[in-house]
Amino acid sequence: MAAEPPPSLSYRTTGSTCLHPLSELLGIPLDQVNFVTCQLFALFAAFWFRSYLSPGKTSPDVRHAFATIFGIYFVIFCFGWYSVHLFVLVLMCYGIMVTASASNVHRYSFFVAMGYLTICHISRIYIFHYGILTTDFSGPLMIVTQKITTLAFQVHDGLGRKAEDLSTEQHRLAVKAKPSFLEYVSYLLNFMSVIAGPCNNFKEYIAFIEGRHIHMKLLEVNWKEKGFHSLPEPSPTTFPVTCLVDDWFVHKANFLTRLCYLYVVMQASKPKYYFAWTLADAVNNAAGFGFSGVDKNGNFCWDLLSNLNIWKIETATSFKMYLENWNIQTATWLKRVCYERVPWYPTVLTFILSALWHGVYPGYYFTFLTGILVTLAARTVRNNYRHYFLSSKTLKVFYDIVTWAVTQLAVSYTVAPFVMLAVEPTISLYKSMYFYLHIISLLIILFLPIKPQAHNQRRPQTLNSVNKKKID
């Protein structure tokens, strides 16, 4: 294992240094102090934005300008000159948006945005030695990449495709006119999501800025006023992931001990994501953008931009359920620009795109390649055996308990390389675990029959298919 960097180097940042005394007092890296400060300031700014710059009091242009200026300031405060990468990508892709035809805008935007992001990922590994001693500017760049490609595909859907060829959701989110420069930069760089996300849809963002958002959502259902949902506020804890490759852990601890400790370490790595995404969700909700409509009981819902469902993650009884409730907006982006559109191997290609988007650390690819195997194996087992346990409540409870335990351990095993990043510790960990999940997944995929119904729901219904069913 590499030696720990000197304390003075651990706090290096390219962003503002005005909070360095607070960083030293708390013993927290300065870039993290800057991040939290910006998000907390964004939370207060969001309340002010909603109260004093509401659509009834000011014009959409003023709301766009305010959201953009504050977003740019936050990026510069956190990342300093590294923020140039963000602005260069935004300007390049706006040039593509303006000049490219509707039939090609999605292709050019996707390859430029993903290509630029990948180059930046590579530079952080090979130029900055895994980026350990420098501010990680890739987070906002990853979010902007999601938004650029989402908007490009939705412009393509609105201007370059026939309505009957679109799925119901694609038709709903299709953008019928190319955005102005102010709308474009506001959507990509607004203070509510530029630092930590999440990705959202251009059409809904414009409706929010123009004051049509809540009314539009209420029109989608029959509603009655009963109150608002509250959001959990988890409290983060840390466990050293390096323990997973210690000599004692690898060579002396028994398999069950290694498995249990792996689960504990992976559990301890989640609260920082819970905190960041919940706070980002709260910022958007405070501004009024998170309103998603009304549930079946008539309650107002504020989960339009929620990036996770903590309860469903911790109680997930399948790999699919876990992934659907973790980093929700990224999963939605992957579905919209890849899974729904590629003609072959959608699961495999979606995992590959996810790995590319996250970066070029080897650990990411171990995680996503393992994830492909586990997803296919879990789907096969579920399609073959789940129906046997639905005949009685007792059997169903037993099935849920077993699948919950298997899912949580499988996720811990799969995402461990994502936390460790490098090749050597990943191989060391998996060797200590005898590659058990890889082997089991391969055996399941090779020797269990794949039931036809596992493939029937792979694609969303297009408007043509929906209309045809109605006619029939």
Side-chain angles (χ1 to χ4, degrees), residues 190-369:
N190 69 82
F191 75 95
M192 295 173 290
S193 59
V194 69
I195 299 295
C199 179
N200 50 69
N201 296 300
F202 179 77
K203 202 170 183 179
E204 291 173 336
Y205 179 74
I206 295 299
F208 157 71
I209 289 292
E210 295 177 354
R212 298 180 285 106
H213 171 65
I214 292 179
H215 180 68
M216 182 177 72
K217 290 297 179 183
L218 289 177
L219 287 178
E220 294 178 0
V221 290
N222 295 322
W223 63 278
K224 53 185 177 179
E225 189 172 344
K226 285 188 176 180
F228 299 91
H229 290 298
S230 59
L231 293 171
E233 187 76 23
S235 172
T237 326
T238 57
F239 269 79
V241 70
T242 52
C243 290
L244 295 175
V245 290
D246 283 348
D247 287 340
W248 176 86
F249 182 88
V250 172
H251 300 295
K252 296 180 181 178
N254 60 54
F255 177 79
L256 185 60
T257 300
R258 291 197 293 266
L259 193 60
C260 291
Y261 191 76
L262 173 64
Y263 172 73
V264 172
V265 171
M266 292 302 105
Q267 284 293 102
S269 70
K270 291 192 288 187
K272 62 181 179 182
Y273 297 101
Y274 288 176
F275 175 77
W277 286 336
T278 301
L279 185 58
D281 194 13
V283 170
N284 283 279
N285 286 346
F289 187 22
F291 182 69
S292 60
V294 181
D295 65 16
K296 61 183 180 181
N297 298 317
N299 297 316
F300 288 170
C301 296
W302 288 83
D303 58 358
L304 179 69
L305 301 175
S306 293
N307 227 358
L308 77 166
N309 185 315
I310 297 173
W311 174 253
K312 289 184 178 180
I313 289 170
E314 298 300 340
T315 59
T317 56
S318 70
F319 206 74
K320 178 176 181 290
M321 180 180 174
Y322 194 105
L323 295 179
E324 285 178 346
N325 291 283
W326 174 271
N327 206 353
I328 295 170
Q329 303 306 324
T330 292
T332 302
W333 170 70
L334 290 167
K335 181 188 77 172
R336 287 173 180 158
V337 306
C338 184
Y339 187 85
E340 291 180 344
R341 298 175 187 268
V342 295
W344 308 286
Y345 306 110
T347 299
V348 174
L349 291 176
T350 301
F351 270 107
I352 291 172
L353 175 58
S354 183
L356 286 171
W357 176 77
H358 277 90
V360 291
Y361 291 121
Y364 294 163
Y365 295 87
F366 278 101
T367 286
F368 289 111
L369 290 174

Side-chain angles (χ1 to χ4, degrees), residues 338-468:
C338 184
Y339 187 85
E340 291 180 344
R341 298 175 187 268
V342 295
W344 308 286
Y345 306 110
T347 299
V348 174
L349 291 176
T350 301
F351 270 107
I352 291 172
L353 175 58
S354 183
L356 286 171
W357 176 77
H358 277 90
V360 291
Y361 291 121
Y364 294 163
Y365 295 87
F366 278 101
T367 286
F368 289 111
L369 290 174
T370 303
I372 293 171
L373 290 176
V374 174
T375 299
L376 295 176
R379 183 184 299 165
T380 302
V381 171
R382 184 180 179 86
N383 289 339
N384 277 279
Y385 296 110
R386 183 174 184 270
H387 59 278
Y388 292 121
F389 295 88
L390 302 180
S391 57
S392 73
K393 188 175 180 180
T394 303
L395 283 175
K396 180 62 168 58
V397 170
F398 172 76
Y399 176 85
D400 286 342
I401 292 173
V402 172
T403 52
W404 170 82
V406 171
T407 297
Q408 299 299 320
L409 293 176
V411 169
S412 299
Y413 179 96
T414 303
V415 302
F418 195 95
V419 177
M420 294 186 292
L421 300 179
V423 174
E424 186 178 349
T426 296
I427 296 296
S428 178
L429 172 66
Y430 278 161
K431 283 177 66 178
S432 74
M433 308 296 291
Y434 311 117
F435 292 93
Y436 82 95
L437 193 57
H438 292 87
I439 295 171
I440 292 173
S441 297
L442 280 172
L443 290 175
I444 289 171
I445 294 168
L446 291 174
F447 295 108
L448 276 183
I450 300 176
K451 300 226 171 170
Q453 59 264 34
H455 298 282
N456 289 343
Q457 297 177 348
R458 182 176 70 81
R459 296 292 186 180
Q461 289 182 321
T462 63
L463 292 181
N464 266 348
S465 62
V466 172
N467 293 335
K468 184 178 179 182

Side-chain angles (χ1 to χ4, degrees), residues 96 99-111 152 156 160 178:
I96 293 172
T99 58
S101 65
S103 58
N104 289 313
V105 65
H106 61 305
R107 294 190 183 96
Y108 298 154
S109 296
F110 182 88
F111 285 112
H156 170 65
K178 290 187 177 182

